Amino acid sequence: MKFRSDMEAMVLASLVDGPKHGYAIVKAVRTRSDDVFRLGEAQLYPVLHRMEESGWVTGVWEPVEGKPARKVYQLTDPGSKVLDQKRREWQEFSEAVGKLMVTGGTA
Amino acid sequence: MSDGIETFLVKLERDVRRLAGRHQAEQVVAELRAHCDDSVAELMAAGQSREAAMAQTLARLGQPSPRDFVPRDGAPSWLDRSRRSQWVFWLFLAWGVAPIWLIYGDADRVVPIVVGLAVTGLGAFGLLGAYGARFVAWPLVRAVIVWFAVNTFLMSVFWVDTRSGSGPFPQPRWVVERSVSLKDVTLREVKDIRSQQREAQSLLEYYRGLRRTGIDTMPSYGKLDHGLFRLPSPDDPASIRSTPDLSTARVQWLESGSNHVARLASWADSSRESIERYKIALDRPYAETLKAMVQANGTIVWLPFLFALTSALLGDMVWSVWLKLRWRWSRSSA
């Protein structure tokens, strides 16, 4: 089974509904997972940079009035394909674990 | 921004700059600064005090390793940018310091050692430079500084300053001591030979006189019965006496010996000068020797540095050309 605890998958999923900067990604993951997943906040940025190098996301600096500029990340087509692949892997993984846990519990 | 967050960002920027360059460090810190700004604003909006919001933001950042912020450039993991600087540093120290000691330890093999080091350096620094010469340059500068300090100290302890017009480099102490000892012995021998030469000279005149008069007789061996002026065996005076041109042979033989002694004497004169210089060097105070080694290392430290840097630049250039060619081939074949 390929799927593991995958920060890249969570970041890609958080960008599906539009471009976001780093802190917004952290918030999206936290909110959508009902505060179950808490990303290591400083650790997020190396992951975003790797994904940018791989071409899964693009990052653009945007100036903000009276505040530091933010780098906003957007999902690319290759990134969407990777996300689809990760979703399929997760589906297989969760189904397999579900079956194992249910049948294992009743044996 | 609180002192804690600012300290964190400044330290991270310094570490990332060291590993991945100024541009990458500035990008990382700019993103994290914006992140902290948003986080503090949100926590304060939720009712926290500024100090509490900053403390919580700092805690949420965690303790990232600066190595995580080093971009990948296609190098294998054991040669990624963060490790590459360590490779360059230690490789340069091993490759740069060793030759000086190797060459003086085995002076007969200077050429193969230098050629071997040149080939090794070209290959190793060329390979490291292929992933970006700029990531080689700074570790090289650091290695040069360390090399200068370490090598200067070691040489000031184990080497002596024998520099002169004829010998531009300092030499290891043990080499100079052995040289002084050997030359001292040789000079004593030359002194003995010179005393023999004076006797030989009078004998030479004697034989020349005999040759002129045509009268031959037994030589007076005396003290000349040894060393360079040993004459034909005195055990058989009859054979000597019966030799037709014995005087001429003796004259030639003695002249040849005299010439040899003259050459030895000339060598001894120059050796005596270098021995005096070596003895002064061996007895020189440490501070003076240290100063000399600082000068010597300052003169030679640039050569391996420039060689390693040039190798890295060549590696970078060759690899860039190769990537471009490969890209063109792949496009033309597609």
Short mmCIF file of all heavy atoms in Angstrom, two decimals, chain B residues 19-49:
data_model
loop_
_atom_site.label_atom_id
_atom_site.label_comp_id
_atom_site.label_asym_id
_atom_site.label_seq_id
_atom_site.Cartn_x
_atom_site.Cartn_y
_atom_site.Cartn_z
N LEU B 19 23.73 27.25 4.11
CA LEU B 19 23.54 25.98 3.40
C LEU B 19 23.08 26.17 1.96
O LEU B 19 23.44 25.37 1.09
CB LEU B 19 22.51 25.12 4.14
CG LEU B 19 22.89 24.63 5.53
CD1 LEU B 19 21.70 23.98 6.19
CD2 LEU B 19 24.04 23.64 5.44
N ALA B 20 22.25 27.17 1.73
CA ALA B 20 21.58 27.23 0.42
C ALA B 20 21.66 28.60 -0.24
O ALA B 20 21.05 28.80 -1.28
CB ALA B 20 20.12 26.83 0.58
N GLY B 21 22.38 29.53 0.35
CA GLY B 21 22.54 30.83 -0.30
C GLY B 21 21.57 31.89 0.23
O GLY B 21 20.57 31.58 0.86
N ARG B 22 21.93 33.13 -0.07
CA ARG B 22 21.20 34.26 0.47
C ARG B 22 19.77 34.34 -0.05
O ARG B 22 18.82 34.59 0.69
CB ARG B 22 21.95 35.56 0.10
CG ARG B 22 21.41 36.82 0.72
CD ARG B 22 22.36 37.99 0.45
NE ARG B 22 22.57 38.17 -0.97
CZ ARG B 22 21.77 38.91 -1.76
NH1 ARG B 22 20.73 39.53 -1.24
NH2 ARG B 22 22.03 39.05 -3.04
N HIS B 23 19.61 34.07 -1.37
CA HIS B 23 18.28 34.20 -1.97
C HIS B 23 17.28 33.26 -1.30
O HIS B 23 16.19 33.68 -0.90
CB HIS B 23 18.38 33.90 -3.47
CG HIS B 23 17.06 33.96 -4.17
ND1 HIS B 23 16.42 35.14 -4.43
CD2 HIS B 23 16.23 32.97 -4.62
CE1 HIS B 23 15.27 34.89 -5.03
NE2 HIS B 23 15.13 33.58 -5.17
N GLN B 24 17.68 32.01 -1.17
CA GLN B 24 16.79 31.01 -0.55
C GLN B 24 16.46 31.41 0.90
O GLN B 24 15.31 31.31 1.34
CB GLN B 24 17.47 29.63 -0.59
CG GLN B 24 16.70 28.51 0.10
CD GLN B 24 15.43 28.13 -0.66
OE1 GLN B 24 15.17 28.61 -1.74
NE2 GLN B 24 14.62 27.28 -0.04
N ALA B 25 17.48 31.88 1.62
CA ALA B 25 17.27 32.27 3.02
C ALA B 25 16.27 33.42 3.12
O ALA B 25 15.37 33.41 3.98
CB ALA B 25 18.61 32.68 3.64
N GLU B 26 16.39 34.39 2.24
CA GLU B 26 15.48 35.54 2.27
C GLU B 26 14.04 35.12 1.96
O GLU B 26 13.09 35.59 2.58
CB GLU B 26 15.95 36.60 1.27
CG GLU B 26 17.18 37.36 1.77
CD GLU B 26 17.73 38.33 0.73
OE1 GLU B 26 17.18 38.39 -0.38
OE2 GLU B 26 18.72 39.01 1.03
N GLN B 27 13.90 34.20 0.99
CA GLN B 27 12.56 33.72 0.63
C GLN B 27 11.90 32.99 1.80
O GLN B 27 10.74 33.23 2.13
CB GLN B 27 12.69 32.73 -0.55
CG GLN B 27 13.24 33.32 -1.82
CD GLN B 27 12.15 33.88 -2.71
OE1 GLN B 27 11.15 33.23 -2.94
NE2 GLN B 27 12.33 35.09 -3.18
N VAL B 28 12.69 32.11 2.43
CA VAL B 28 12.15 31.31 3.53
C VAL B 28 11.70 32.22 4.67
O VAL B 28 10.60 32.08 5.21
CB VAL B 28 13.23 30.30 4.03
CG1 VAL B 28 12.84 29.71 5.37
CG2 VAL B 28 13.43 29.21 3.00
N VAL B 29 12.56 33.16 5.01
CA VAL B 29 12.26 34.02 6.16
C VAL B 29 11.09 34.95 5.84
O VAL B 29 10.24 35.22 6.71
CB VAL B 29 13.52 34.80 6.59
CG1 VAL B 29 13.18 35.89 7.57
CG2 VAL B 29 14.51 33.84 7.22
N ALA B 30 11.00 35.42 4.60
CA ALA B 30 9.88 36.29 4.22
C ALA B 30 8.55 35.53 4.37
O ALA B 30 7.56 36.08 4.89
CB ALA B 30 10.07 36.77 2.79
N GLU B 31 8.55 34.27 3.94
CA GLU B 31 7.31 33.47 4.06
C GLU B 31 6.95 33.24 5.53
O GLU B 31 5.79 33.36 5.93
CB GLU B 31 7.51 32.12 3.36
CG GLU B 31 7.29 32.18 1.88
CD GLU B 31 7.07 30.80 1.28
OE1 GLU B 31 8.07 30.11 1.09
OE2 GLU B 31 5.90 30.43 1.04
N LEU B 32 7.96 32.89 6.31
CA LEU B 32 7.70 32.61 7.73
C LEU B 32 7.29 33.88 8.48
O LEU B 32 6.47 33.83 9.40
CB LEU B 32 8.92 31.97 8.38
CG LEU B 32 9.12 30.48 8.03
CD1 LEU B 32 10.45 29.98 8.53
CD2 LEU B 32 7.99 29.65 8.64
N ARG B 33 7.85 35.01 8.07
CA ARG B 33 7.49 36.27 8.73
C ARG B 33 6.01 36.59 8.46
O ARG B 33 5.27 36.98 9.37
CB ARG B 33 8.41 37.40 8.26
CG ARG B 33 8.17 38.70 8.98
CD ARG B 33 9.29 39.69 8.78
NE ARG B 33 10.40 39.45 9.70
CZ ARG B 33 11.65 39.26 9.34
NH1 ARG B 33 11.98 39.26 8.07
NH2 ARG B 33 12.59 39.07 10.24
N ALA B 34 5.59 36.41 7.22
CA ALA B 34 4.18 36.64 6.88
C ALA B 34 3.29 35.66 7.64
O ALA B 34 2.23 36.03 8.15
CB ALA B 34 4.00 36.47 5.37
N HIS B 35 3.77 34.42 7.74
CA HIS B 35 3.02 33.38 8.47
C HIS B 35 2.82 33.80 9.94
O HIS B 35 1.70 33.74 10.46
CB HIS B 35 3.81 32.06 8.39
CG HIS B 35 3.18 30.92 9.10
ND1 HIS B 35 2.56 29.88 8.43
CD2 HIS B 35 3.04 30.63 10.41
CE1 HIS B 35 2.08 29.03 9.31
NE2 HIS B 35 2.37 29.45 10.53
N CYS B 36 3.89 34.23 10.55
CA CYS B 36 3.82 34.63 11.97
C CYS B 36 2.90 35.85 12.13
O CYS B 36 2.15 35.94 13.11
CB CYS B 36 5.22 34.95 12.50
SG CYS B 36 6.27 33.50 12.58
N ASP B 37 3.01 36.76 11.18
CA ASP B 37 2.17 37.96 11.22
C ASP B 37 0.68 37.57 11.22
O ASP B 37 -0.11 38.07 12.04
CB ASP B 37 2.51 38.82 9.99
CG ASP B 37 2.00 40.23 10.13
OD1 ASP B 37 2.44 40.90 11.08
OD2 ASP B 37 1.16 40.63 9.31
N ASP B 38 0.31 36.67 10.31
CA ASP B 38 -1.09 36.20 10.22
C ASP B 38 -1.50 35.48 11.50
O ASP B 38 -2.61 35.68 12.01
CB ASP B 38 -1.25 35.25 9.04
CG ASP B 38 -1.22 35.99 7.72
OD1 ASP B 38 -1.46 37.21 7.73
OD2 ASP B 38 -0.93 35.37 6.68
N SER B 39 -0.61 34.62 11.97
CA SER B 39 -0.93 33.80 13.14
C SER B 39 -1.17 34.69 14.37
O SER B 39 -2.16 34.52 15.09
CB SER B 39 0.22 32.82 13.41
OG SER B 39 -0.02 32.12 14.60
N VAL B 40 -0.27 35.66 14.58
CA VAL B 40 -0.40 36.55 15.74
C VAL B 40 -1.69 37.36 15.63
O VAL B 40 -2.45 37.49 16.61
CB VAL B 40 0.83 37.49 15.84
CG1 VAL B 40 0.59 38.58 16.88
CG2 VAL B 40 2.07 36.68 16.21
N ALA B 41 -1.97 37.87 14.43
CA ALA B 41 -3.18 38.68 14.23
C ALA B 41 -4.43 37.85 14.54
O ALA B 41 -5.36 38.33 15.21
CB ALA B 41 -3.21 39.18 12.79
N GLU B 42 -4.46 36.61 14.08
CA GLU B 42 -5.64 35.77 14.30
C GLU B 42 -5.82 35.44 15.78
O GLU B 42 -6.94 35.51 16.32
CB GLU B 42 -5.51 34.47 13.50
CG GLU B 42 -6.79 33.66 13.52
CD GLU B 42 -6.64 32.33 12.83
OE1 GLU B 42 -5.94 31.46 13.39
OE2 GLU B 42 -7.19 32.15 11.75
N LEU B 43 -4.72 35.11 16.44
CA LEU B 43 -4.81 34.76 17.87
C LEU B 43 -5.23 35.98 18.70
O LEU B 43 -6.01 35.85 19.66
CB LEU B 43 -3.48 34.20 18.37
CG LEU B 43 -3.12 32.81 17.82
CD1 LEU B 43 -1.67 32.46 18.12
CD2 LEU B 43 -4.05 31.75 18.41
N MET B 44 -4.74 37.15 18.31
CA MET B 44 -5.14 38.37 19.04
C MET B 44 -6.62 38.67 18.79
O MET B 44 -7.35 39.09 19.69
CB MET B 44 -4.28 39.56 18.61
CG MET B 44 -2.87 39.52 19.23
SD MET B 44 -1.83 40.83 18.61
CE MET B 44 -2.58 42.26 19.33
N ALA B 45 -7.07 38.41 17.55
CA ALA B 45 -8.49 38.63 17.23
C ALA B 45 -9.36 37.68 18.06
O ALA B 45 -10.52 38.01 18.38
CB ALA B 45 -8.72 38.40 15.74
N ALA B 46 -8.79 36.53 18.42
CA ALA B 46 -9.55 35.56 19.23
C ALA B 46 -9.50 35.92 20.71
O ALA B 46 -10.03 35.16 21.54
CB ALA B 46 -8.98 34.17 19.01
N GLY B 47 -8.81 37.01 21.05
CA GLY B 47 -8.86 37.48 22.43
C GLY B 47 -7.57 37.33 23.22
O GLY B 47 -7.49 37.72 24.39
N GLN B 48 -6.55 36.78 22.61
CA GLN B 48 -5.28 36.62 23.36
C GLN B 48 -4.51 37.94 23.40
O GLN B 48 -4.67 38.78 22.50
CB GLN B 48 -4.41 35.55 22.68
CG GLN B 48 -4.97 34.14 22.82
CD GLN B 48 -3.89 33.11 22.49
OE1 GLN B 48 -2.71 33.41 22.50
NE2 GLN B 48 -4.32 31.88 22.24
N SER B 49 -3.68 38.05 24.42
CA SER B 49 -2.79 39.23 24.47
C SER B 49 -1.71 39.06 23.40
O SER B 49 -1.47 37.95 22.91
CB SER B 49 -2.13 39.34 25.83
OG SER B 49 -1.22 38.28 26.00
#
